[in-house]
Amino acid sequence: MDRPAGEGLEADHAGGSSVLPPPLRPRLALIAVLAALVVVALGVRYAGHSAPGAVDSWIFPPTADSVRAPWRQVALALDFLGEPAGSALVVVAGVVGCLLMRSPRAAVLVVAGAGATVGTTTLLKHLVGRTIHGPGNLSYPSGHTAFATALALMAALFATDRLGLGRTAGTSLVLGAGLVAGAVMGWAEVGLGAHYPTDALGGWCTALAVIPATAWLVDRTADRLGDRSSGRTVDAGRREPL
């Protein structure tokens, strides 16, 4: 028996992968809210400052370029990935990878998530006005740390969906990946003297707040577009003469 027009499309739409897996949504929403509160609290605390705080000095001398060879080259390579040229290459590679894996929704998330993260950190830098090494070097939050964390979070969300991980395993993977990426890039930025440790923490939390929200918006938009397309196909099938 032939299926009614539009039924196959609706089935495909219903089975489409989400970039924010439903089992993870409640926990990641709570984490995003808490991360946003940390970003705001640190921003208020260090607004207009141009020197390390007590926490910064306790964790690491933030203005000391103390990373030596061969680790300095590693730090510089990581730093390049957060620069405009390096980040563009990474984003393009991510988009191509998602398309090769036949996941256009994930490709959209890579572009939207990276753009939202960079845009948010840029806006916050101008609002907070914290500087390092002179008045022209806005430092809070760390855009490099936020970008690296965002990429790791998006990759982990993609892996969670593809592997069919449950709520606990998926949340652990996402947070673990974000923590590792944020810590590695934060180490590079602080070690090179480009940021204070609390800048790196702010960047990490910025990504934790932005990526789940962006992924939810991508899913919601894609689902709505899919519903409209399904409706048009069904209507066309109904109007088709017998």
Side-chain angles (χ1 to χ4, degrees):
M1 179 181 295
D2 293 335
R3 290 184 299 180
E7 183 177 321
L9 181 67
E10 289 178 341
D12 291 342
H13 170 59
S17 297
S18 299
V19 289
L20 184 62
L24 274 60
R25 290 177 183 176
R27 290 186 178 181
L28 291 185
L30 176 60
I31 291 170
V33 171
L34 295 176
L37 291 175
V38 173
V39 172
V40 172
L42 290 175
V44 172
R45 171 65 180 82
Y46 294 110
H49 287 212
S50 58
V55 175
D56 297 313
S57 298
W58 177 71
I59 295 176
F60 196 83
T63 58
D65 191 3
S66 60
V67 179
R68 305 300 179 189
W71 293 109
R72 178 174 176 78
Q73 300 307 315
V74 175
L76 289 172
L78 291 169
D79 178 75
F80 170 75
L81 294 178
E83 294 296 320
S87 60
L89 291 175
V90 173
V91 169
V92 169
V95 169
V96 171
C98 290
L99 294 178
L100 290 175
M101 295 290 288
R102 298 182 180 179
S103 183
R105 190 180 295 199
V108 172
L109 176 62
V110 170
V111 176
T117 301
V118 172
T120 301
T121 55
T122 301
L123 176 62
L124 288 172
K125 283 183 178 182
H126 287 88
L127 289 176
V128 175
R130 190 185 196 188
T131 59
I132 187 170
H133 305 318
N137 301 310
L138 297 173
S139 66
Y140 180 88
S142 168
H144 283 66
T145 306
F147 179 73
T149 305
L151 291 177
L153 292 175
M154 292 186 288
L157 287 172
F158 181 77
T160 296
D161 180 68
R162 283 302 176 101
L163 297 175
L165 300 181
R167 179 174 58 184
T168 300
T171 303
S172 299
L173 175 61
V174 171
L175 292 181
L179 178 61
V180 171
V184 171
M185 184 61 82
W187 163 80
E189 293 304 297
V190 174
L192 291 172
H195 285 283
Y196 305 110
T198 45
D199 294 337
L201 176 59
W204 182 65
C205 288
T206 298
L208 284 176
V210 169
I211 294 303
T214 305
W216 179 82
L217 286 173
V218 169
D219 277 336
R220 186 172 178 83
T221 302
D223 290 342
R224 284 185 172 182
L225 292 176
D227 290 340
R228 292 177 182 176
S229 177
S230 298
R232 287 195 297 268
T233 303
V234 171
D235 290 341
R238 289 172 178 171
R239 292 193 298 268
E240 184 178 346
L242 297 176

